[in-house]
Amino acid sequence: MTLYDELVARGLIAQVTNEEEIKNMINNGKATFYIGFDPTADSLHVGHFMALCLMKRLQMAGNKPIALIGGGTAMVGDPSGRTDMRQMMTPETIQHNCDCFRKQMSRFIEFGEGKAQMVNNADWLMGLNYIQLLRDVGAHFSVNRMLTAECYKQRMEKGLSFLEFNYMIMQSYDFYYLFQNYGCNMQFGGDDQWSNMLGGTELIRRKLGKDAHAMTITLLLNSEGKKMGKTQSGAVWLDPNKTSPFEFYQYWRNVADADVLKCIRMLTFLPLEQIDEMDTWKGEQLNKAKEILAYELTELVHGKEEAEKAQTTARALFSGVVDTENMPSTQLSEDDLQDGQIGILTLMVKAGLAASNGEARRLVQQGGVLVDSEKVTDAKAAFTTEQLKTGLVIKKGKKIYHKVTL
């Protein structure tokens, strides 16, 4: 099976512009490709997983990845999938986020001369002359055609700003610049980016002639993958300081039965033959599949030692044995207490188990909160300094445990 055939079998390819040429380039390690990442936070999240795993697969086959950090486009904001305008960030915040991304990406791809590169489109976008951009790039874009793009539809309902309208032109210029200066001949992106990516391919052909070889591929369900980064209790980050290895493991351990094999196929590096054998698994066997998924991805992001710790803790909790040593924990200070105690609602918010006091109150009233194995039914319940010094174990729902100490 060729690499391209494997990508198709894993459900990673949705659309391409020239399949035969793309097959040849990918299978023979001739692709220099880029995938873009907007630095809107100081950590990547699980919604980026598909792109990161794809970059790793392609590099292993001899292709060269370019991780494009959108330091310049982040100054505008991608309207794709948005009903509101993105928050503006300072250049300092964007640079900090870029630095964090490179560190996390290094667990997936190898950077260095002749290997993967990380570039920031602020390096060429920030210095562009506006009139020159309008003449050299804007002249190649039809406004009528741009307005039919999927990425603008939701924003059109509430009002698309002229600032955001420029995003497609800027992303298209990225591909043109990378093609000219980095030998980048291929771009990958989510299905929500298809219009923007086609714009880049078309710009290269218009500027450099029809013989210019620039390829475009979209990843199946990548915009759904972005949604995977969010859960009811917040985002699932790759940074262990934001989402502990145990919480990360539990996130994948708790995926829906209908999604587990799809995730294994798309995101792990297990052989397809082994995954195909799992297709017949049902009932309790699916729990085994979830363990495999959670372990493989936790090892990929946090290393083997943390993956083993997380698996051991999760199995202990499932069997009714509470392992507090490797459990996610929050340490409070005296400043977090009032008159030597703290209420259950505040405690849950500080532990990250609820986004607000209102959400915490609903969980308590619904009987979904236990502290040291005792159900908490009073939203006004409070815990003392002495109790916190020995540590409290909060259980939220059936599967989420968290230790709080002072």
Side-chain angles (χ1 to χ4, degrees), residues 63-313:
N63 299 287
K64 296 179 181 179
I66 298 176
L68 174 64
I69 305 299
T73 41
M75 301 294 286
V76 173
D78 183 0
S80 302
R82 304 282 298 191
T83 57
D84 57 348
M85 190 167 162
R86 292 183 186 271
Q87 183 180 356
M88 294 287 189
M89 296 185 295
T90 66
E92 293 77 16
T93 298
I94 291 172
Q95 184 57 52
H96 171 70
N97 294 349
C98 291
D99 294 340
C100 294
F101 278 21
R102 183 184 178 102
K103 183 179 179 181
Q104 292 175 355
M105 286 179 180
S106 296
R107 293 200 66 94
F108 293 82
I109 55 178
E110 187 177 357
F111 291 99
E113 187 174 349
K115 299 175 182 176
Q117 300 179 75
M118 175 176 281
V119 297
N120 187 335
N121 64 13
D123 293 343
W124 56 85
L125 291 179
M126 298 297 282
L128 283 176
N129 177 284
Y130 186 58
I131 299 298
Q132 181 184 348
L133 179 69
L134 290 177
R135 288 174 60 89
D136 292 350
V137 180
H140 298 289
F141 286 81
S142 162
V143 171
N144 289 350
R145 187 174 174 183
M146 290 172 71
L147 289 175
T148 64
E150 190 67 33
C151 61
Y152 289 140
K153 285 184 178 179
Q154 283 185 293
R155 293 293 292 119
M156 287 288 289
E157 294 176 6
K158 289 195 173 182
L160 177 70
S161 72
F162 184 70
L163 176 71
E164 296 168 287
F165 187 61
N166 282 270
Y167 192 90
M168 180 186 291
I169 295 176
M170 295 173 71
Q171 182 171 331
S172 299
Y173 185 79
D174 282 343
F175 192 23
Y176 171 73
Y177 186 91
L178 292 171
F179 182 87
Q180 288 279 75
N181 295 277
Y182 290 86
C184 180
N185 50 28
M186 195 175 296
Q187 58 180 335
F188 285 77
D191 57 348
D192 59 333
Q193 296 293 315
W194 184 242
S195 298
N196 293 344
M197 297 196 319
L198 287 179
T201 298
E202 184 65 19
L203 177 62
I204 290 172
R205 291 175 179 168
R206 284 176 175 268
K207 293 281 289 181
L208 304 177
K210 292 183 180 180
D211 292 334
H213 290 286
M215 310 299 172
T216 301
I217 294 181
T218 66
L219 305 182
L220 180 65
L221 299 175
N222 200 33
S223 28
E224 181 177 308
K226 290 179 181 178
K227 296 173 187 175
M228 287 197 303
K230 299 288 185 179
T231 67
Q232 291 183 348
S233 59
V236 179
W237 304 102
L238 305 194
D239 183 347
N241 295 316
K242 289 176 171 287
T243 299
S244 72
F246 174 76
E247 291 170 311
F248 187 84
Y249 178 96
Q250 284 293 84
Y251 172 80
W252 295 107
R253 175 63 180 79
N254 294 329
V255 298
D257 289 356
D259 294 333
V260 59
L261 288 176
K262 178 174 69 176
C263 289
I264 289 176
R265 195 174 294 276
M266 287 181 167
L267 303 178
T268 75
F269 288 80
L270 296 175
L272 281 171
E273 295 82 1
Q274 181 180 347
I275 300 171
D276 289 340
E277 291 176 2
M278 298 181 191
D279 278 337
T280 59
W281 288 11
K282 296 179 181 179
E284 284 301 314
Q285 288 179 305
L286 287 178
N287 287 326
K288 176 62 176 176
K290 292 178 185 182
E291 276 198 343
I292 292 171
L293 172 67
Y295 182 89
E296 291 291 324
L297 299 189
T298 305
E299 181 182 18
L300 187 61
V301 175
H302 299 295
K304 185 174 183 178
E305 182 179 353
E306 291 296 340
E308 290 179 350
K309 282 183 184 177
Q311 187 170 73
T312 299
T313 302

